[in-house]
Amino acid sequence: MAKQLPEKKAEQAAQDLETLTNEATSREPRRRWYELSAEGLIEAAKTVGKMAEPVVKTVEAILPLPGLLV
């Protein structure tokens, strides 16, 4: 997906993915941080268009995981 985004948006998407991953694997995930990161990834996916559906589905599948409920 990042290859299809403008450079600044690709950098932001990479940062959002890193933050989401770090929070998702944290012992005490910070809900607001991973929610913001998820929103950023969904927005980036929508920018790309055809990539949106699989990215949105993946991010939405991660959000309700028990370890992420704070």
Side-chain angles (χ1 to χ4, degrees):
M1 175 178 75
K3 291 179 183 179
Q4 297 178 0
L5 291 168
E7 186 177 346
K8 282 201 176 255
K9 287 191 183 264
E11 290 173 6
Q12 184 63 53
Q15 185 178 2
D16 288 340
L17 179 58
E18 182 178 357
T19 301
L20 179 62
T21 301
N22 289 338
E23 289 303 322
T25 57
S26 171
R27 294 183 85 182
E28 295 183 26
R30 297 173 296 174
R31 183 180 194 99
R32 189 65 190 139
W33 283 104
Y34 69 76
E35 286 178 339
L36 284 172
S37 299
E39 289 171 15
L41 288 170
I42 289 170
E43 277 303 309
K46 288 178 181 177
T47 298
V48 174
K50 66 181 178 180
M51 291 292 299
E53 187 176 347
V55 173
V56 171
K57 285 183 179 182
T58 301
V59 171
E60 287 176 343
I62 292 169
L63 288 176
L65 293 177
L68 292 179
L69 298 177
V70 177

